[in-house]
């Protein structure tokens, strides 16, 4: 069965396409029952244009379309009431100009503005037929409503698996970038360039993860069969927010290491500060495991993370003890900043993990 579905998808018969076709057909059928128009083609047209990937996007698209159509009809009816025009180049220009100027002056959404222009033109061209303007509004409402209903109840979009995978990828990348940043302490020009590229990749991945979680939030809105998934989304969102803060701390550690490596006294003091490498690596391991805690939110995963955090704190404490022999104030300042950032990462991971597990009940 799955093999056959994969073949259909490769041929273009995706779920979204199928739902759109179904919405168009049902809209035509319902419109013929509820309206006197024998050919209610605006109903399936509205369904096709309204049905988006998520229910929230479909509602937004429907509101834009219905608002634009109503405004377009009202503008055209008012203009026609004051003066009778013949269809010509100049009248079409003036009609569309006036129709689109009004919503533009009201600072409405661009999609509404274009819909006003389209509706005004169609009503002006065909409005002489009795009931055309009202029928256009009714058919559009029918088509939009059918599209929303089908989108909400028939296999609603659920991007939660993609969001969870994105969280795992970001936590692993954050850990990897932090761990590899210790090479700055023995940096050549080539290694420094590589670490800068790693930081850029981390920023891009963070933005990508945020967008994926936001898309998931949109996909779960107004979906009646995804209530439990929406509750699950609160954990993912909390974890994403914490990971975003962690990536900022990782970048701060990178800058601290770069400054530390650039200090004149670095080589002379290195024997007293080399313990920072192990402190960074142990903290990086905690970040990687935090991604698993976000997804699982179990007592077992929390216990493992807490053990790792305590181990990383012990290493940081030993590193702090070792730097008592450092004489350079600039080295002390930079190293102190790095250890502070590492400590903050552990504290934030701990607080977020406890919150996630508590919310999970």
């Amino acid at each position: 069965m799955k093999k056959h579905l994969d073949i259909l998808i490769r041929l273009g018969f995706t779920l979204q396409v199928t739902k759109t076709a179904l919405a168009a057909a049902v809209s035509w059928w319902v419109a013929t029952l509820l309206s006197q128009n024998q050919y209610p083609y605006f109903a399936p047209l509205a369904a096709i244009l309204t049905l988006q990937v998520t229910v929230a996007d479909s509602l937004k698209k429907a509101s834009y379309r219905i608002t634009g159509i109503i405004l377009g009809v009202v503008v055209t009816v008012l203009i026609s009431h004051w003066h009778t025009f013949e269809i010509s180049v100049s009248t079409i220009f003036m009609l569309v100009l006036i129709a689109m100027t009004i919503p533009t002056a009201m600072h409405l959404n661009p999609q509404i503005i274009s819909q006003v222009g389209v509706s005004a033109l169609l009503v002006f061209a065909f409005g002489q037929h009795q009931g055309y303007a009202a029928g256009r509004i009714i058919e559009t409402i029918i088509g939009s409503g059918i599209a929303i209903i089908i989108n909400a109840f028939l296999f609603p979009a659920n991007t939660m698996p993609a969001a969870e995978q994105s969280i795992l990828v970001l936590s692993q990348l954050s850990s990897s970038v932090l761990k590899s940043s210790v090479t700055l302490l023995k940096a050549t020009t080539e290694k420094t360039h590589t670490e800068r590229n790693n930081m850029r990749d981390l920023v891009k991945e963070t933005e990508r993860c945020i967008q994926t979680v936001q898309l998931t939030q949109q996909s779960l809105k107004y979906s009646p069969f995804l209530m439990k998934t929406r509750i699950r989304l609160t954990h993912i969102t909390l974890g994403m927010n914490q990971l975003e803060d962690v990536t900022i701390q990782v970048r701060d550690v990178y800058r601290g290491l770069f400054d530390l490596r650039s200090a004149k006294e670095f080589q002379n003091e290195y024997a007293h500060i080399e313990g920072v490498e192990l402190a960074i690596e142990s903290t990086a391991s905690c970040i990687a495991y935090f991604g698993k805690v976000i997804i699982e939110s179990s007592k077992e995963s929390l216990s493992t993370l807490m053990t790792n955090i305590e181990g990383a704190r012990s290493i940081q404490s030993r590193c702090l003890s070792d730097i008592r022999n450092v004489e350079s104030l600039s080295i002390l300042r930079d190293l102190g900043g790095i250890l502070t950032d590492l400590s903050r990462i552990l504290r934030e991971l701990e607080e977020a993990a406890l919150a996630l597990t508590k919310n999970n009940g």
Side-chain angles (χ1 to χ4, degrees):
M1 181 67 177
K2 186 178 184 301
K3 183 179 179 181
H4 293 156
L5 288 176
D6 291 339
I7 293 174
L8 289 174
I9 290 173
R10 285 198 296 271
L11 292 174
F13 295 95
T14 63
L15 177 61
Q16 186 69 12
V17 170
T18 304
K19 288 167 66 174
T20 302
L22 179 62
V26 174
S27 297
W28 177 279
W29 175 65
V30 173
T32 55
L33 295 177
L34 299 180
S35 71
Q36 297 179 347
N37 188 359
Q38 188 177 0
Y39 301 103
Y41 50 88
F42 283 114
L45 177 62
I48 293 170
L49 296 176
T50 296
L51 202 146
Q52 304 295 303
V53 175
T54 67
V55 178
D57 287 339
S58 294
L59 282 167
K60 184 184 297 184
K61 195 78 172 181
S63 66
Y64 289 161
R65 185 165 179 80
I66 293 172
T67 301
I69 287 174
I70 293 175
L71 285 176
V73 168
V74 169
V75 169
T76 307
V77 169
L78 289 176
I79 293 175
S80 301
H81 179 73
W82 290 328
H83 198 286
T84 301
F85 296 97
E86 294 293 332
I87 298 178
S88 66
V89 173
S90 59
T91 55
I92 290 177
F93 171 77
M94 290 303 300
L95 175 68
V96 174
L97 178 66
I98 295 172
M100 297 185 71
T101 296
I102 295 173
T104 300
M106 297 169 64
H107 303 289
L108 298 182
N109 187 277
Q111 296 185 48
I112 296 178
I113 295 173
S114 61
Q115 185 60 60
V116 172
V118 171
S119 297
L121 179 61
L122 291 175
V123 172
F124 178 72
F126 304 105
Q128 62 267 30
H129 300 298
Q130 186 177 5
Y132 176 84
R136 176 164 168 73
I137 294 175
I138 293 172
E139 291 169 16
T140 299
I141 293 175
I142 291 172
S144 299
I146 294 296
I148 293 169
I149 292 172
I150 287 179
N151 211 12
F153 289 90
L154 185 63
F155 303 109
N158 179 13
T159 59
M160 180 62 78
E164 292 179 341
Q165 181 61 30
S166 184
I167 289 286
L168 289 175
V169 169
L170 181 60
S171 64
Q172 293 293 330
L173 181 60
S174 300
S175 172
S176 175
V177 169
L178 179 59
K179 191 173 295 186
S180 67
S181 67
V182 299
T183 60
L184 290 171
L185 297 177
K186 305 171 184 178
T188 61
T189 302
E190 181 179 352
K191 286 183 179 179
T192 301
H193 181 70
T194 299
E195 290 307 312
R196 285 176 178 171
N197 288 336
N198 288 342
M199 284 298 158
R200 282 194 287 266
D201 291 342
L202 180 59
V203 172
K204 291 179 182 178
E205 187 59 40
T206 302
E207 294 174 350
R208 188 180 299 115
C209 188
I210 292 172
Q211 292 173 357
T212 302
V213 173
Q214 289 176 343
L215 177 61
T216 301
Q217 292 171 338
Q218 288 294 315
S219 71
L220 298 182
K221 274 186 177 180
Y222 314 114
S223 297
F225 300 132
L226 298 176
M227 286 293 294
K228 291 184 178 179
T229 308
R230 282 203 291 274
I231 296 173
R232 173 73 180 139
L233 181 60
T234 60
H235 300 278
I236 298 298
T237 303
L238 176 59
M240 175 63 249
N241 293 338
Q242 199 60 56
L243 267 180
E244 183 182 9
D245 292 339
V246 167
T247 61
I248 294 174
Q249 300 299 329
V250 170
R251 297 200 293 271
D252 288 341
V253 171
Y254 167 83
R255 285 190 289 268
L257 289 171
F258 188 82
D259 292 339
L260 186 65
R261 180 66 177 81
S262 302
K264 294 180 181 179
E265 305 88 348
F266 174 74
Q267 292 297 340
N268 296 332
E269 301 283 9
Y270 181 71
H272 304 304
I273 64 175
E274 59 182 339
V276 72
E277 296 183 20
L278 187 57
I280 290 174
E281 291 173 355
S282 61
T283 303
S285 298
C286 294
I287 297 174
Y289 202 83
F290 178 65
K292 297 180 181 179
V293 173
I294 296 175
I295 304 305
E296 296 178 7
S297 298
S298 65
K299 292 182 179 179
E300 292 76 13
S301 61
L302 174 64
S303 177
T304 302
L305 177 62
M306 290 305 178
T307 301
N308 292 342
I309 289 176
E310 287 305 314
R313 281 200 175 117
S314 297
I315 295 173
Q316 289 180 17
S317 296
R318 289 199 300 269
C319 182
L320 188 62
S321 177
D322 291 341
I323 67 174
R324 293 175 182 175
N325 298 319
V326 175
E327 297 179 358
S328 170
L329 292 178
S330 62
I331 294 292
L332 282 173
R333 179 199 62 206
D334 294 334
L335 190 58
I338 293 170
L339 290 175
T340 298
D341 289 329
L342 293 176
S343 177
R344 186 178 293 116
I345 288 174
L346 295 180
R347 185 174 66 253
E348 291 181 351
L349 293 180
E350 183 179 42
E351 291 175 354
L354 288 172
L356 285 168
T357 307
K358 181 179 179 180
N359 291 339
N360 197 45

